[in-house]
Amino acid sequence: MTDRFLELLRARPDLAEAAAFPFNFDVSRASHVEDVHLASGASLEPIAGDDTGGTFFLCGGTAVLYASSEGDAVLIADSVGEALEMQIRLPEWCEGVTTDLDEEQLRAVVRVCDEEAKEEFAPELDEQRALLITGLGLPERPLAELFAMAESAAGRTEPDHLLLNSAELCAYRLHASYRMCLRDVVLEPGRGTLERLRAGDPEARAAVAADAVLRAGVLRAAQLDRRDGDLPLLRLLLADECAERSERFEERRLAAVLVALHGREADGPLLGAATAGEATDSESATRWARAEEAKRTGPDAALRNELTWVELAFRQGRIRHARVALIRLLDDTGPHATRLRELSRALERIGDHAQAARAQFNLLSLQDTAWDRASEAYVLARLERRKGDLPAAGRALERARAAIGLGGTAPEGEASQWHRRGLGRHITEQHLELALAAAESGDADLARATMAHARVLLNTIGKESAKALGRLSTQAKWAVAGAGEPGAAR
């Protein structure tokens, strides 16, 4: 560690002792109660601890994150020096500090709290503070500025400093006032462009016509901020969506709803084309639009809305923001199969296979039928393999085989036809993929065992399915043979 403040604390016992007590920044406690890491993948190193089991972490070599032993974490400063300033000049016992206090009021609060601290546990507080400020070379910054810096840091905890428990992958809590609002993040470009469109800016009009992602943001912004004078530009947006040769229909339907709710007969032809004939006149268009609006309410509206912002973040390239939102949603989701499935697929799409596997594992435990267990188990195997946990992928495939009765009692009902339908092909494909991955990673035992099951599956599923997997099957056989399988692949 090359930070000069940490070097000073480690080189001077008098400074280290004063920082540890009473200011609760103890460099001798540089360890945490459990293994953790940042969702962003940035470096994370414990640099100090406090007497409650909490830990100060250096993130990415600069910023400082504080994590409690109770599962809360917040970014407190952009540097070690700033973190020490806050600990020393606005210590934890200074309760009642709020954003609406000016400099004099802040100083008054600190004086009162300091006097109480000196009476209760730290009689030499003034001398220890002076020693640290002088010894560390800390600036005499106004308290209002220091507090504003702390608030600013806390508000930037997400998305780059989301702390995860490494074993369970759950996120540490963050106070709601500091949580990232994904909706506001992804709507910022759309809201700005919408105002320019309302002002008649031709450059904004050209940009929206050419950019489907920007247009999606504008439509969402117009949905949340509806104005009577927006109908002409909504017509243009709907025409753009109709002209877009894409399989995306959500924004087209949204644009149609926003136009239809104005109830103008002249919009019938445009709405008819946009809705495949569901809305062709003012009466049918209004009825259709209200029904579409109703779909956006109900018990699952909050999740659906959040996934809308996740999708827009993904399209905008804001993968870190989407990941944070999805992890928070997953942490808050109980035994709800539909939500877990959506979250698993969304997390897989953004490339977070570890979190997707967490959602998928919980989803698999909720399946009641053999068919559903087999279907979700092979997906879990894919996710575990992609995250790099090949043994876990093998265990998931074992559950898939058990569900379809391979090597045991034949399943009843729909699952008895697994080998004649796509399910058989998918399960076989995952066996071949795992055998190939295990061979390439040097796990010969797992490769051979998985390939043995794959051979049985290839001889059981339909000929067309087996033929479609021919190239992958050949690759897996040769890879397994190269990893030491007895007898060459034939």
Side-chain angles (χ1 to χ4, degrees), residues 130-286:
L131 171 66
L132 286 167
I133 290 174
T134 301
L136 295 173
L138 298 178
E140 285 291 337
R141 199 188 306 267
L143 292 182
E145 179 184 344
L146 192 58
F147 185 62
M149 290 166 57
E151 289 290 292
S152 173
R156 289 181 280 109
T157 302
E158 296 175 344
D160 292 330
H161 302 95
L162 182 70
L163 190 67
L164 304 180
N165 173 301
S166 296
E168 299 176 358
L169 299 182
C170 297
Y172 272 54
R173 295 181 297 269
L174 178 65
H175 192 277
S177 61
Y178 301 130
R179 292 270 290 269
M180 172 192 73
C181 180
L182 183 61
R183 182 191 66 185
D184 290 344
V185 171
V186 298
L187 284 185
E188 182 179 2
R191 284 170 169 161
T193 304
L194 176 60
E195 290 307 313
R196 292 170 59 199
L197 288 172
R198 285 168 171 164
D201 186 337
E203 292 185 1
R205 171 70 195 118
V208 167
D211 188 338
V213 177
L214 177 60
R215 189 164 63 248
V218 171
L219 281 166
R220 297 293 175 186
Q223 179 189 17
L224 296 178
D225 179 21
R226 303 185 188 191
R227 301 185 187 178
D228 292 338
D230 282 348
L231 181 56
L233 71 87
L234 291 174
R235 287 169 175 156
L236 293 173
L237 295 172
L238 178 55
D240 290 338
E241 286 297 320
C242 290
E244 184 80 22
R245 297 191 175 184
S246 169
E247 295 182 358
R248 293 184 178 277
F249 301 105
E250 180 62 23
E251 278 82 31
R252 186 184 309 171
R253 293 184 78 83
L254 173 58
V257 166
L258 295 176
V259 170
L261 287 173
H262 285 267
R264 303 297 175 84
E265 197 68 40
D267 292 321
L270 179 59
L271 289 171
T275 64
E278 292 183 74
T280 56
D281 55 55
S282 61
E283 183 177 347
S284 65
T286 301

Side-chain angles (χ1 to χ4, degrees), residues 417-421 424-425 428 457-469:
Q417 300 299 311
W418 68 269
H419 55 293
R420 297 181 180 180
R421 300 170 69 175
R425 174 177 171 176
T428 306
L457 288 163
L458 285 166
N459 291 329
T460 307
I461 63 176
K463 292 182 179 179
E464 288 301 314
S465 292
K467 182 179 179 181
L469 296 173

Side-chain angles (χ1 to χ4, degrees), residues 7 23 69 92 104 114 156 162 182 282 360 364 385 416 422 448 473:
E7 288 181 344
F23 299 107
S69 59
E92 58 191 26
E104 288 305 314
D114 278 354
R156 289 181 280 109
L162 182 70
L182 183 61
S282 61
Q360 189 67 25
L364 176 54
R385 173 175 54 80
S416 63
R448 287 195 294 268
S473 176

Side-chain angles (χ1 to χ4, degrees), residues 169 326 330 333 336-337 339-345 347 353-366 376 380 383:
L169 299 182
L326 289 169
L330 179 54
T333 297
H336 193 300
R339 294 182 183 183
L340 288 169
R341 185 176 293 105
E342 287 184 296
L343 292 172
S344 173
R345 304 304 183 263
L347 284 159
H353 298 113
Q355 292 287 353
R358 174 162 76 103
Q360 189 67 25
F361 184 87
N362 293 334
L363 173 62
L364 176 54
S365 69
L366 300 176
E376 302 302 349
L380 177 59
L383 295 171

Side-chain angles (χ1 to χ4, degrees), residues 293-304:
E293 288 271 89
K295 294 178 183 178
R296 294 176 170 83
T297 61
D300 291 328
L303 177 68
R304 292 254 52 84

Side-chain angles (χ1 to χ4, degrees), residues 22-23 88-89 91 93-95 106-127 129:
F23 299 107
I88 294 166
R89 303 192 62 220
W93 57 78
C94 291
E95 299 178 353
L106 276 172
R107 289 185 180 276
V109 169
V110 171
R111 280 195 300 270
V112 171
C113 294
D114 278 354
E115 289 303 317
E116 293 178 357
K118 283 188 279 189
E119 290 181 9
E120 293 179 11
F121 60 88
E124 298 179 353
L125 172 60
D126 292 338
E127 294 82 357
R129 178 178 282 141

